[in-house]
Amino acid sequence: MKKHQKISILGAALMISAAGFSQTHATIFSMEPDRYPSSEYLEFKNLVCDVQNVYQFEEDSSLVKFSDETSLSHKILEFIGLYKNGVYGQFIGQKFVLNRETGNYKFKDFGNDYYKNTVIDFGSTKQSYKVISTSSGPYIHTQYIQVDVYQKNGEMNFRIMNGDILFTGNCQLG
């Protein structure tokens, strides 16, 4: 066999083995969002969350806090522009359950149960739980949900961004 043929065969064999090696390691080292090392995995099915604040982004990108109070002092603060009275204020103090597997939640006429929910991160001792929800139809609406499940104080911060409305509060493992 000629020297060039041996080099060609050897080169082809190296390329095939390298491709096989990289495919094997791509499978071993790829990490799906719900596959964390066992030392970082958190076991829970639901999160029980409590809405503590609701904000709205104004046209100038400032945030105005909704109030669920009707006292004179809150009406004055609303007049000054520090608070906003509106339908979203009714959600302050309400609890809801967030399902880890589906990303579904619903409380008093608001939620994402009619949306297509994509859990993009199941959360761990180092990462937040994250869901993106999209509505169907010609006018698409989106929601982004994030719960800091890694917090060690027992209450985990959450954020739900729904258009120009921002819900915040705390969750506990349910």
Side-chain angles (χ1 to χ4, degrees):
M1 203 180 256
K2 293 184 179 177
K3 186 177 182 180
H4 293 292
Q5 286 177 324
K6 287 181 183 177
I7 292 174
S8 296
I9 291 171
L10 182 59
L14 285 172
M15 287 178 21
I16 290 170
S17 66
F21 180 77
S22 68
Q23 284 294 353
T24 302
H25 279 28
T27 303
I28 291 171
F29 293 118
S30 68
M31 185 175 285
E32 298 173 23
D34 61 341
R35 306 284 186 235
Y36 288 103
S38 60
S39 62
E40 296 177 15
Y41 183 76
L42 290 174
E43 185 71 43
F44 63 93
K45 181 176 174 149
N46 293 314
L47 294 164
V48 178
C49 303
D50 178 32
V51 178
Q52 295 177 347
N53 299 292
V54 182
Y55 303 91
Q56 182 171 13
F57 286 94
E58 298 295 304
E59 288 183 13
D60 65 355
S61 297
S62 63
L63 276 176
V64 175
K65 186 174 183 176
F66 276 93
S67 173
D68 62 342
E69 304 251 350
T70 56
S71 67
L72 179 60
S73 62
H74 272 81
K75 288 185 187 244
I76 293 170
L77 292 172
E78 181 183 351
F79 180 76
I80 297 170
L82 297 178
Y83 280 103
K84 185 171 192 147
N85 194 358
V87 67
Y88 292 104
Q90 70 181 331
F91 297 110
I92 297 170
Q94 289 192 22
K95 292 186 183 293
F96 63 93
V97 176
L98 174 60
N99 182 289
R100 182 186 197 185
E101 294 293 319
T102 64
N104 281 357
Y105 75 92
K106 183 170 180 161
F107 60 100
K108 194 173 180 175
D109 304 323
F110 185 77
N112 67 354
D113 52 333
Y114 294 110
Y115 285 51
K116 178 184 176 210
N117 301 310
T118 304
V119 178
I120 56 175
D121 195 324
F122 282 90
S124 73
T125 59
K126 297 182 180 182
Q127 284 289 309
S128 297
Y129 173 83
K130 302 171 190 89
V131 178
I132 293 181
S133 304
T134 55
S135 69
S136 60
Y139 304 106
I140 304 296
H141 300 279
T142 60
Q143 290 184 359
Y144 174 73
I145 303 161
Q146 180 172 325
V147 182
D148 299 334
V149 294
Y150 56 81
Q151 289 183 305
K152 297 187 186 315
N153 64 0
E155 291 193 356
M156 302 161 241
N157 294 333
F158 82 85
R159 294 163 286 302
I160 298 176
M161 186 71 182
N162 180 48
D164 63 348
I165 305 297
L166 174 65
F167 296 87
T168 65
N170 289 312
C171 297
Q172 296 179 345
L173 298 179

